[in-house]
Amino acid sequence: QVQLVESGGGLVQPGGSLRVSCAASGSILRIYDMGWYRQAPGKERELVALITSVLTTRYADSVKGRFTISRDNAKNTVVLQMNNLKPEDTAIYYCNGNIRPVGSGGGMYYWGKGILVTVSS
């Protein structure tokens, strides 16, 4: 059983910073891409940032220059550092990973339960 657990969300003022983390656990053979998605009220879930197993990154245009994604392959963790936060960044942030469990022939996508980030004065 593979699980992704997010931590670090909360309330921050506009212009502030916040760091959200995600830890993968369970019978994991290999982790491929890991990423962060978000879903704001009344909107569809969207990709925020993605990082591959060789540390190539991709960002949504709306967060480029403000957010940084990183991962620790030894600890099976991925972190999203968010700076200069704006009210429109308010959303539930979900961790996503393409993970190959032990005994599986390939990777499967797993989701965390999500963590709320609120940007408000």
Side-chain angles (χ1 to χ4, degrees):
Q1 184 78 9
V2 173
Q3 286 188 322
L4 296 177
V5 178
E6 301 100 337
S7 61
L11 173 65
V12 64
Q13 292 187 342
S17 297
L18 203 62
R19 181 183 173 99
V20 289
S21 301
C22 173
S25 63
S27 299
I28 295 171
L29 185 61
R30 184 172 178 181
I31 300 179
Y32 303 99
D33 299 350
M34 295 192 81
W36 287 94
Y37 290 71
R38 67 185 180 188
Q39 187 166 19
K43 294 189 176 181
E44 293 187 353
R45 191 174 298 188
E46 63 174 357
L47 174 68
V48 177
L50 182 77
I51 186 166
T52 70
S53 58
V54 293
L55 307 184
T56 301
T57 58
R58 177 157 59 102
Y59 296 93
D61 288 343
S62 59
V63 306
K64 282 181 182 176
R66 299 188 298 122
F67 290 12
T68 302
I69 189 170
S70 61
R71 66 189 281 175
D72 185 329
N73 289 332
K75 296 181 179 179
N76 290 342
T77 58
V78 61
V79 172
L80 185 67
Q81 176 67 43
M82 302 181 287
N83 298 327
N84 190 22
L85 282 158
K86 304 176 181 181
E88 51 264 41
D89 294 317
T90 295
I92 298 175
Y93 284 70
Y94 296 91
C95 178
N96 174 266
N98 183 358
I99 299 171
R100 182 179 176 184
V102 172
S104 173
M108 293 184 285
Y109 284 97
Y110 292 86
W111 291 91
K113 292 183 179 180
I115 193 164
L116 180 62
V117 171
T118 303
V119 185
S120 175
S121 55

